[in-house]
Amino acid sequence: ISEKVVGLAYLANPFFGVFLHPYLGAWSDTCTAALGRRRPFIIALSVSLLSGVVLVWLGDDIIRWWPDSGLAMAVPLFVGSFLVDTSADLLVGPARSLLCDLVPESQMEKAN
């Protein structure tokens, strides 16, 4: 796999993060799920992160199912690394917000 493809995979996270971070934060602030405001996002992003890890881990087996081409080799790596990188980056927001939601007011300065 060329260095350009790997570079695109790592470039995708900051590009999408610029748009996804504010949207995800606003959405989690208004969430009324039974699990709370932050936990559904933490669970969904954790599943996405694990899916990306599995995709990268099994990428070699997935490539064997596809016809031979350079692009076919890049797809599992690109999608898997995008999911891992983006999900890990987006997990920080809801995790920090959950911490601030759970900490008593007297300890808020330490939590931040």
Side-chain angles (χ1 to χ4, degrees), residues 7-19:
L8 284 175
Y10 288 116
L11 180 65
N13 175 37
F15 179 73
F16 284 103
V18 167
F19 302 108

Side-chain angles (χ1 to χ4, degrees), residues 56-81:
V56 170
W57 179 42
L58 297 176
D60 191 35
D61 294 330
I62 294 170
I63 291 168
R64 290 182 197 150
W65 296 337
W66 289 5
D68 289 336
S69 74
L71 181 63
M73 291 178 65
V75 169
L77 175 65
F78 183 83
V79 173
S81 63

Side-chain angles (χ1 to χ4, degrees), residues 40-54 83 87 91:
F41 295 93
I42 293 172
I43 292 168
L45 289 168
S46 297
V47 169
S48 175
L49 177 72
L50 288 173
S51 299
V53 169
V54 169
L83 285 174
S87 299
L91 261 168

Side-chain angles (χ1 to χ4, degrees), residues 21-49:
H21 270 287
Y23 176 72
L24 192 68
W27 190 15
S28 72
D29 286 343
T30 60
C31 181
T32 58
L35 291 173
R37 293 190 301 170
R38 316 296 182 195
R39 288 182 186 95
F41 295 93
I42 293 172
I43 292 168
L45 289 168
S46 297
V47 169
S48 175
L49 177 72

